[in-house]
Amino acid sequence: MKQGIIGWATGMVLVASCGMAQAQWLWVNDKGVKQFSDQPPPASVPPSRILKAPKGQMPEPAKTDEAAGEAAPEPKATPRPTLAERNADFNKRRAAAAEQAQKAETDARAKASNEANCENIRNNQRALEAGMRISSFDRNGERVILDDAQRAEQSKRNTAMLAANCK
């Protein structure tokens, strides 16, 4: 019987001490999120945003300005965006990313094409400078071998194109 009373008394002490261990302060922070704590909120939290406090520890409400008869202005919490607003924002970001990826792909293709053209011009210029026989086709589709004047003219065009389009 003595052990039952001791157990009952120990249980009562434990139950009484559990209440003190619970979060006793509840307030809303600047982002609109509820905060639970066993410590009082920071001084920057106005009393109107404190939802729960231990008995006898609730801070006084904001003092009024006696000359104007109005309460001091309270900082406003920014409202959280709705699901539709967040979804619209996500869709905008996704569309912008897709557009940027498409632009990067187009730029990469254009750069590769330009590099291939520059390489072809360089190869043609090397062949002209080496004195190799170079042929082209006339209007009738017949093969014609370039003479020295035509080679010089082609070399000039190649040099101008390399200077303008290739590094």
Side-chain angles (χ1 to χ4, degrees):
M1 171 115 161
K2 203 174 188 182
Q3 288 180 347
I5 294 175
I6 292 174
W8 183 81
T10 304
M12 291 303 289
V13 169
L14 288 175
V15 168
S17 65
C18 287
M20 293 188 296
Q22 294 177 355
Q24 298 175 357
W25 290 91
L26 172 62
W27 70 92
V28 179
N29 69 7
D30 294 335
K31 296 179 182 176
V33 178
K34 289 184 179 179
Q35 300 289 314
F36 296 89
S37 177
D38 59 346
Q39 300 292 319
S44 64
V45 176
S48 62
R49 284 200 267 153
I50 298 175
L51 304 176
K52 180 182 173 189
K55 292 182 182 179
Q57 294 189 20
M58 187 68 165
E60 295 180 20
K63 296 180 182 178
T64 59
D65 186 4
E66 292 177 14
E70 297 177 6
E74 179 181 318
K76 294 182 181 179
T78 56
R80 294 182 70 186
T82 64
L83 181 60
E85 292 170 337
R86 291 185 300 185
N87 192 26
D89 187 42
F90 170 75
N91 287 337
K92 284 180 189 176
R93 287 192 315 266
R94 186 172 62 178
E99 184 179 320
Q100 186 178 11
Q102 184 178 12
K103 183 179 183 244
E105 183 181 341
T106 303
D107 289 347
R109 272 195 236 135
K111 184 178 179 183
S113 176
N114 189 39
E115 288 176 5
N117 287 339
C118 289
E119 187 60 30
N120 287 339
I121 293 170
R122 286 186 191 104
N123 288 338
N124 189 294
Q125 185 67 21
R126 283 188 212 114
L128 287 170
E129 291 171 355
M132 297 173 65
R133 288 179 57 182
I134 296 180
S135 64
S136 68
F137 295 94
D138 64 6
R139 292 185 180 145
N140 298 327
E142 294 179 13
R143 184 183 285 201
V144 178
I145 304 294
L146 298 180
D147 62 10
D148 289 340
Q150 291 170 329
R151 291 169 71 89
E153 182 182 327
Q154 182 67 35
S155 180
K156 244 198 261 186
R157 274 188 269 150
N158 286 349
T159 303
M161 287 174 38
L162 285 171
N165 300 326
C166 305
K167 295 179 183 178

